[in-house]
Amino acid sequence: MKEEKIWLSPPHMGGNELKYIKDAFDTNWISQYGSNIDEFERSLEHYLGKTSYVTALSSGTAAIHLALRLLNVEDGDFVICQSFTFVATANPILYLNAVPVFVDSENQTWNMCPDALEESIKYCIRQGKKPKAIITVSLYGMPFKVDEILQISRKYEIPVIEDSAEALGSKYKGQLCGTFGDLSIISFNGNKIITTAGGGILISRSPDAKNRALFLATQAKDNEEFYSHSEVGYNYRMDNIAAGIGRGQLETLEKKIEQRRKNHDFYQQIVKNNDHIELFSAPDSDFYSNYWLSTIILKNNLVKEKLKEKFSQNNIETRYLWKPMHLQPLYKRYKFFGNNLSGTLFDAGLCLPSGTNLTDHCRARISEVLQNEIH
Ligand SMILES: *Cc1c(COP(=O)(O)O)cnc(C)c1O
């Protein structure tokens, strides 16, 4: 008999999600207004700490789109973007007819390379236009080189949009991801560390910015008695049911981080002292990853397609790493700075099951496949 499927990163309920959803039903706030939204935002602001103003939205992608709007990105503007990421980081640049400029990763955090970033800024300035924003990512939960990147951002006075879609609970030098950017975003998509089915937040640094985000997210209605509109808005607000799920999920966040990090320890035990597989791990104690996904790089003659197939035969889901944007049909005509380290990682990498509900039996099945391949 076929064993049950082990998913890469499935949703994991278990707190008070249903209670908060029931509250919404009982009070008839089946709406984009209601106490779950207010409370979810308040709890996240408390968690992230002072000078974090949270706007709850329908997705992380919407949050990136609004972040670009808040920075007045327009037709023809340059926006610098990490190439090694999920496509949702970059797409909002095209929504606004702006021009993405892609930057490669460095090998310690797999995130934006400071040297390539500076090169890309100089290129834009030579074209006569300073970039409007730098979009950094904390891939698979690993914080980017915050000090180095922020220093360049300050030097050239270009704001940072921090895509921490995957990095809720991760820290750099003890400070939480989501608090570094001039604007930051987090996603609650079904595959992320906590979920609202679909959803995300924009984190800004002032009540004015938060109000501006809320204004744009709710169709940009002018302050008039009638329906008056002076600029383009969106229908991007999170709803009160999703926020109810979020409230329940957030209460279990610390436990979920602990479980993801235990998954990483588990993989570390298997691959330690092995020449064929390298587990992607924090370079030093400045970097605290939530290890949203545990990822490996295959070496020597190991081939990712073959290993993925072996897992698949055992009904275990694995995934390739994000394919960098500069290698995507949609984006390959745009400028790219770096040496294609991200492409090399993509070629050799695999994401392993990292759910917070992995049982010991699941672990044993995963271990067996891995051990067979690397000995
Ligand atoms: C998931 C994700 C997004 C998009 O978030 P959604 O909530 O799915 O729109 C953006 N960037 C990265 C790096 C992601 O992993």
Side-chain angles (χ1 to χ4, degrees), residues 57-64 84-90 136-140 163-167 185-192 197-201 292 322:
L57 301 167
S58 53
S59 72
T61 312
I64 296 170
F84 197 21
T85 187
F86 178 50
V87 73
T89 309
T136 62
V137 187
S138 292
L139 218 58
Y140 303 115
D163 178 351
S164 274
E166 304 171 359
I185 78 103
I186 287 170
S187 166
F188 306 117
N189 192 272
N191 62 352
K192 300 301 199 295
I201 51 172
W292 170 57
W322 302 126

Side-chain angles (χ1 to χ4, degrees), residues 47-49 162 167-172 174-180 254 257:
Y47 175 74
L48 291 164
E162 180 195 359
L168 176 61
S170 297
K171 292 174 194 170
Y172 175 76
Q175 188 181 330
L176 282 168
C177 285
T179 65
F180 296 112
E254 289 308 325
I257 295 168

